[in-house]
């Protein structure tokens, strides 16, 4: 009898094992388009998350936002302006060629050569003034001044093969010709806006993916994405529609994972000294001056927004009101900054004090397919502004169009979501006085400039001591937010829904990594079948 049971169990395992990953396929529906496969071309989350399947950085980030070894096994400061990175031995690129220090230097130089990037990675590389190869597996990076967070910067730069990419264009990456990385998956095919197919890298240096093949479907609309999961067309969806989360949690066919995101959803405000492109008086005549340059007007806009109602209704409880541009727990988060109190009467008074007792007209812009409920967020905020005399209309655009326009200052008030592991990084990129020479302000859509904030951010970035860095970053945050440089709304929850039998560790960076999905243990399945 025992022999018979053993035979039955062996047969069951033979059936179950191929379904448990190593001989199985995984189908994932992504909520945002992957606009480029070039890992150095456009610094937006969908592109970065996808590149992590094909490429590695020197430093990786775990699910909780902590730095962990990647292609570098260790890093340390040699002196105040020099960091040494020890590279991992035995790593191979997808074409079988060895990974060495030459590939690191090439990859750090490459972002600066992509001069037409709509969202460059140069803010992570500009501070490096010299690079030294000590030996094939040791690299030293020198900065002009003391710079504490260099390791964090290195988590944002993917290492490409110098051999494959030295003469490659972004089109060569998008076609797959130059897509030679060291990551856990290899490129198979790419149909822009539709699907991307990858296969397992059996020579990966780290934990190998369970899946022979992974198909990513681009489904930017929430309802069709959910429908694909319910129909079994995909195994996993990200950015689950907020209205459906509670139902999915109680459906035995599915499993839901959630985590508070590092992403802050906020408004950029045009602060250039000229008539703003989408602001008029209420008869449609352009205003002679830009009212958003007045801090009282910016404060009035912030006070007009009921963040609690926005979270409870528009986000259906799947968010937390924001007071900073980084989430709680992130270095530089300033707990002394309260969530702006909803005060429509106070907002009206500030508008009157600023010379706009009857308000003005403005068009709010946002993406239609990037953030959770992004279109509804823009519409809700427009309603709040209408209540205080600002006549707000709404225009939302596909992400592929929206980012390109917003970064040129084409809008007066534009919605953005940003996630970072440190406030000084976020402030440098989002609100630092734009300076291409040092990579500051590359996402400063409103062209805000405040020398006091810049000085504090510089001091924070120069601090090797974490406590000093945190203090400077908090002070910089206070300067920017009390000036209403941007208008924070909320931190959204990151949510994944998947078929029963799959598990995923929810990530604070919201990234969906196919190689980190796991099937339930075969032995547990076999026991259940018994």
């Amino acid at each position: 009898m025992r022999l018979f049971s053993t035979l039955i169990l062996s047969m069951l395992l033979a059936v179950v094992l191929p379904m448990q990953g190593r001989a199985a396929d995984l189908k994932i529906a992504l909520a945002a388009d992957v606009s480029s496969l070039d890992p150095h071309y456009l610094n937006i989350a969908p592109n970065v998350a996808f590149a992590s399947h094909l490429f590695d950085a020197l430093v990786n980030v775990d699910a909780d936002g902590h730095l962990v070894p990647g292609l570098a096994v260790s890093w340390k400061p040699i002196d105040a302006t020099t960091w040494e990175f020890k590279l991992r031995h035995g790593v191979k690129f997808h074409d079988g060629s060895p990974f060495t220090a030459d590939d690191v230097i090439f990859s750090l130089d490459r972002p600066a050569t992509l001069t037409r990037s709509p969202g460059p990675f140069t803010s992570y590389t500009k501070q490096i003034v010299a690079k030294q190869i000590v030996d094939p597996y040791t690299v030293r990076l020198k900065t002009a001044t003391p710079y504490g967070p260099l390791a964090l910067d290195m988590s944002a730069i993917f290492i490409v093969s110098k051999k494959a990419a030295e003469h490659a264009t972004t089109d060569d990456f998008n076609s797959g010709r130059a897509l030679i990385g060291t990551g856990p998956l290899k490129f198979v095919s790419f149909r822009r806006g539709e699907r991307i197919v990858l296969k397992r890298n059996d020579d990966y240096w780290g934990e190998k993916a369970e899946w022979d093949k992974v198909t990513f479907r681009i489904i930017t609309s929430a309802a069709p994405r959910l429908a694909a999961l319910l129909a079994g067309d995909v195994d996993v969806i990200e950015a689950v529609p907020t209205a459906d989360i509670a139902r999915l949690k109680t459906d035995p066919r599915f499993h839901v994972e959630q985590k508070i995101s590092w992403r802050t959803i906020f408004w950029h405000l045009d602060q250039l000294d000229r008539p703003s492109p989408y602001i008029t008086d209420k008869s449609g005549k352009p205003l002679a001056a830009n009212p958003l340059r007045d801090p009282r007007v910016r404060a009035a806009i912030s006070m007009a927004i009921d963040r609690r109602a926005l979270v409870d209704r528009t986000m259906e409880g799947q968010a937390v009101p924001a007071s900073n541009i980084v989430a709680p727990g992130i270095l530089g988060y300033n707990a002394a900054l309260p969530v702006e109190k909803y005060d429509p009467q106070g907002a009206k008074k500030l508008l009157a004090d600023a010379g706009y007792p009857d308000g003005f007209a403005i068009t709010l812009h946002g993406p239609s397919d990037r953030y959770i409920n992004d279109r509804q967020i823009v519409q809700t905020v427009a309603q709040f502004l209408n209540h205080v005399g600002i006549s707000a209309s709404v225009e939302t655009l596909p992400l592929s169009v929206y980012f390109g326009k917003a970064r040129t200052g084409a809008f007066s008030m534009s919605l953005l979501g940003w996630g970072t592991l440190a406030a000084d990084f976020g402030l440098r990129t989002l609100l630092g006085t734009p300076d291409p020479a040092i990579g500051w302000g590359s996402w400063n859509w409103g062209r805000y400039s405040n020398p006091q904030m810049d000085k504090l951010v510089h001091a924070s970035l120069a601090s090797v001591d974490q406590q000093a860095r945190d203090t400077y970053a908090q002070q910089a945050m206070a300067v920017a937010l009390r000036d209403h440089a941007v208008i924070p709304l909320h931190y959204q929850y990151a949510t994944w829904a998947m078929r029963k039998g799959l598990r995923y560790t929810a990530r604070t960076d919201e990234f969906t990594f196919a190689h980190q999905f796991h099937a339930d243990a075969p032995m547990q399945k076999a026991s259940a079948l018994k």
Side-chain angles (χ1 to χ4, degrees), residues 250-404:
T250 61
D251 190 324
R253 298 173 297 167
F254 303 106
H255 174 66
V256 174
E257 293 284 356
Q258 284 190 294
K259 193 164 195 168
I260 190 69
S261 169
W262 67 349
R263 184 181 308 282
T264 308
I265 305 298
F266 66 92
W267 289 101
H268 264 308
L269 306 175
D270 171 29
Q271 294 173 58
L272 287 177
D273 188 11
R274 50 95 170 101
S276 194
Y278 281 91
I279 296 179
T280 67
D281 64 20
K282 290 189 174 180
S283 67
K285 180 181 178 181
L287 296 180
N290 177 5
L292 299 180
R293 286 179 54 80
D294 191 320
R296 293 170 295 184
V297 173
R298 300 196 298 269
I301 290 173
S302 183
M303 293 166 66
I305 299 170
D306 187 342
R307 290 165 179 79
R308 175 52 60 190
L310 178 69
V311 163
D312 290 345
R313 300 170 193 168
T314 306
M315 294 299 295
E316 301 186 75
Q318 300 300 315
V320 177
S323 63
N324 284 226
I325 61 167
V326 295
I330 298 295
L331 183 144
Y333 175 82
N334 191 328
L337 293 173
V339 174
E340 186 86 66
K341 182 180 178 182
Y342 176 52
D343 185 1
Q345 295 305 315
K348 291 177 181 179
K349 183 178 185 306
L350 282 176
L351 288 172
D353 291 345
Y356 303 97
D358 299 320
F360 49 84
I362 187 171
T363 300
L364 309 186
H365 285 87
S368 59
D369 55 1
R370 175 62 190 99
Y371 312 117
I372 298 171
N373 297 347
D374 45 14
R375 184 185 291 107
Q376 297 96 310
I377 291 168
V378 179
Q379 292 168 343
T380 300
V381 171
Q383 292 171 12
F384 288 139
L385 296 187
N386 281 319
H387 291 159
V388 300
I390 298 175
S391 180
S393 57
V394 167
E395 183 178 1
T396 57
L397 302 167
L399 185 67
S400 58
V401 177
Y402 176 72
F403 272 173

Side-chain angles (χ1 to χ4, degrees), residues 266 268-272 406-409 414 416 418 426-435 439-450 453-454 485-486:
F266 66 92
H268 264 308
L269 306 175
D270 171 29
Q271 294 173 58
L272 287 177
R407 70 179 301 269
T408 65
S414 46
L416 180 63
W418 193 266
L427 291 168
R428 174 184 69 183
T429 303
L430 297 168
L431 293 174
T433 299
D435 185 348
W440 278 53
S442 56
W443 286 78
N444 186 348
W445 291 350
R447 303 303 189 267
Y448 175 78
S449 180
N450 186 317
M453 191 212 75
D454 288 348
V486 293

Side-chain angles (χ1 to χ4, degrees), residues 34-159:
V34 178
S35 60
S36 176
L37 301 185
D38 185 336
H40 300 146
Y41 178 67
L42 177 56
N43 182 20
I44 58 174
N47 292 6
V48 172
F50 188 80
S52 300
H53 294 89
L54 299 167
F55 302 94
D56 291 300
L58 292 179
V59 181
N60 287 342
V61 178
D62 69 14
D64 296 317
H66 302 136
L67 298 184
V68 295
L71 291 178
V73 295
S74 65
W75 51 89
K76 64 180 180 181
I78 300 300
D79 56 46
T81 59
T82 307
W83 283 79
E84 182 178 88
F85 292 80
K86 290 289 187 180
L87 307 183
R88 193 177 295 276
H89 287 246
V91 176
K92 294 180 180 180
F93 283 100
H94 295 159
D95 62 358
S97 60
F99 156 71
T100 70
D102 286 327
D103 302 299
V104 174
I105 302 303
F106 173 78
S107 300
L108 294 178
D109 287 338
R110 187 170 180 268
T113 69
L114 303 178
T115 55
R116 294 186 178 181
S117 167
F121 285 82
T122 49
S123 60
Y124 304 112
T125 58
K126 285 287 189 180
Q127 65 279 353
I128 302 171
V129 297
K131 310 173 187 71
Q132 178 190 4
I133 297 177
V134 179
D135 60 53
Y137 294 98
T138 305
V139 170
R140 289 182 179 174
L141 304 177
K142 191 171 185 63
T143 57
T145 58
Y147 185 72
L150 188 64
L152 183 53
D153 272 347
M154 292 303 96
S155 72
I157 301 297
F158 290 106
I159 306 303

